[in-house]
Amino acid sequence: MRSYNLNIAGYNIGFESAAGGPDLAPSERFLRNITDKKGENILIGVHSGSLIPDVRAERVFHAPYVEEINGVLIQNRADFWSVWKYRSDLFITTVFPLSLSEKKATLKFSLTSMEWDLWINGTESEIDPFEYPLDGLIIYYLTVINDDILIHASGIINKGKGYLFSGVSGKGKSTMAKLWEDSGAKVIHDDRLVLRNTGSGYRMYNTPVYNNDEPRDAPLNKIFIIEHGANNSIVPVKGATAITLIIANCIQHHWGSEIIARLLGSVSLMSGVVQTAHLAFRPERHVIDYILENE
């Protein structure tokens, strides 16, 4: 196909192949996110070939390719993706470590323009312009532009109320999601969520990580910062403590003061509206009853 739109976390992301550009083929992960609605939040023109950032551009952020194996972080390659900045233009250069073929890409964008351009240099006649790591990078900068929040967390909805459980790897996000799912609740996502202020309250949205994942969202009624514990314990937190705990689990590229200020402002506003608590828990069904009894 030459163009298509995705509905992800409430964003309408349009892809359009430029003249001479490749055919576009979204992967299975995004098939249920395809929408016929226009009115894009962002429109990305896809080109064949290479774009080299301006020689005066400064590299402001760099990420090596790191995998977690049995709880241990292992760096597999140094040349993964980088962010470059020249004046108001930003460039993301990346390789595709999970791809079956060798290719590189450069995404040119800004925090004020809704029209971006993506160059992909490879041998494939059809490409997925949202292939990892471009999917997460594009979603992240959409949250920056819209003053939203991308966070490591699992989220569920139970009887109309949405609960978010946030923590670093190993603290129990997936365990908590499974416990709620087994009790009949609906899981929004078990690893990565987008949090958005809709004007009438906050909502959490899933991001497509698993094959053929469908769009899901729910109201955000309470945030729990979690860890495993000998006993179940809820301690409410407010103010700077709540803000610090939430930001520690947010996905962020802290290379610019504007980006840092945007995230701090968004989290501060949210923590003043949505209750936050520290939750130590035993990975057993009883923790759900404990949470519901202590609302």
Side-chain angles (χ1 to χ4, degrees):
M1 63 181 71
R2 302 299 293 173
S3 65
Y4 66 95
N5 289 53
L6 297 178
N7 170 27
I8 295 178
Y11 305 124
N12 190 320
I13 305 171
F15 295 96
E16 185 174 83
S17 186
D23 286 332
L24 308 179
S27 76
E28 183 181 356
R29 276 196 298 147
F30 312 120
L31 294 182
R32 298 179 74 174
N33 296 92
I34 293 177
T35 177
D36 57 3
K37 293 183 179 179
K38 300 301 180 181
E40 297 89 351
N41 295 104
I42 208 80
L43 179 62
I44 302 175
V46 184
H47 310 258
S48 295
S50 301
L51 174 70
I52 300 174
D54 192 286
V55 294
R56 293 163 290 183
E58 173 191 7
R59 189 170 76 172
V60 294
F61 198 90
H62 175 68
Y65 182 50
V66 176
E67 287 185 297
E68 183 176 328
I69 301 176
N70 297 325
V72 178
L73 297 178
I74 299 175
Q75 179 174 318
N76 286 344
R77 57 190 300 173
D79 60 332
F80 189 19
W81 60 264
S82 298
V83 181
W84 301 76
K85 184 177 188 298
Y86 176 64
R87 295 179 177 172
S88 63
D89 288 331
L90 296 170
F91 304 85
I92 294 177
T93 58
T94 188
V95 296
F96 299 88
L98 304 183
S99 178
L100 298 177
S101 64
E102 287 288 328
K103 55 182 181 285
K104 297 181 179 180
T106 300
L107 177 69
K108 181 183 179 183
F109 67 108
S110 79
L111 300 182
T112 57
S113 173
M114 297 299 102
E115 294 187 359
W116 299 358
D117 286 285
L118 173 65
W119 280 261
I120 298 183
N121 183 16
T123 59
E124 299 171 344
S125 58
E126 284 189 334
I127 62 98
D128 174 12
F130 216 43
E131 184 177 351
Y132 174 79
L134 286 174
D135 54 346
L137 291 167
I138 290 170
I139 291 171
Y140 168 72
Y141 280 100
L142 274 173
T143 67
V144 172
I145 288 173
N146 289 279
D147 294 323
D148 298 326
I149 300 164
L150 184 61
I151 190 169
H152 288 296
S154 60
I156 65 95
I157 182 169
N158 180 68
K159 296 181 179 179
K161 290 189 175 182
Y163 303 104
L164 180 146
F165 304 93
S166 185
V168 298
S169 180
K171 293 296 185 179
K173 297 188 298 296
S174 296
T175 298
M176 187 63 73
K178 185 66 167 59
L179 289 170
W180 281 94
E181 185 175 42
D182 289 345
S183 74
K186 182 178 181 180
V187 176
I188 304 304
H189 204 269
D190 68 356
D191 183 61
R192 189 176 68 177
L193 295 164
V194 173
L195 312 181
R196 307 191 66 184
N197 185 351
T198 65
S200 58
Y202 282 85
R203 297 191 73 82
M204 53 183 167
Y205 299 79
N206 70 327
T207 57
V209 171
Y210 309 115
N211 279 345
N212 213 20
D213 219 353
E214 65 178 356
R216 292 186 295 275
D217 65 280
L220 178 57
N221 297 100
K222 196 161 186 177
I223 296 170
F224 293 96
I225 308 299
I226 63 172
E227 64 178 354
H228 292 291
N231 298 291
N232 297 323
S233 172
I234 293 175
V235 179
V237 292
K238 296 181 180 180
T241 301
I243 294 168
T244 301
L245 289 172
I246 294 169
I247 284 183
N249 296 316
C250 291
I251 297 169
Q252 51 187 302
H253 303 170
H254 44 272
W255 53 261
S257 58
E258 179 184 357
I259 288 179
I260 295 170
R262 282 174 182 250
L263 178 61
L264 179 60
S266 297
V267 173
S268 298
L269 184 62
M270 181 179 69
S271 66
V273 176
V274 182
Q275 291 183 336
T276 303
H278 177 268
L279 169 66
F281 75 100
R282 292 174 58 86
E284 301 170 349
R285 169 67 176 77
H286 179 64
V287 68
I288 295 175
D289 298 326
Y290 179 76
I291 290 171
L292 296 176
E293 290 168 0
N294 286 274
E295 283 193 291

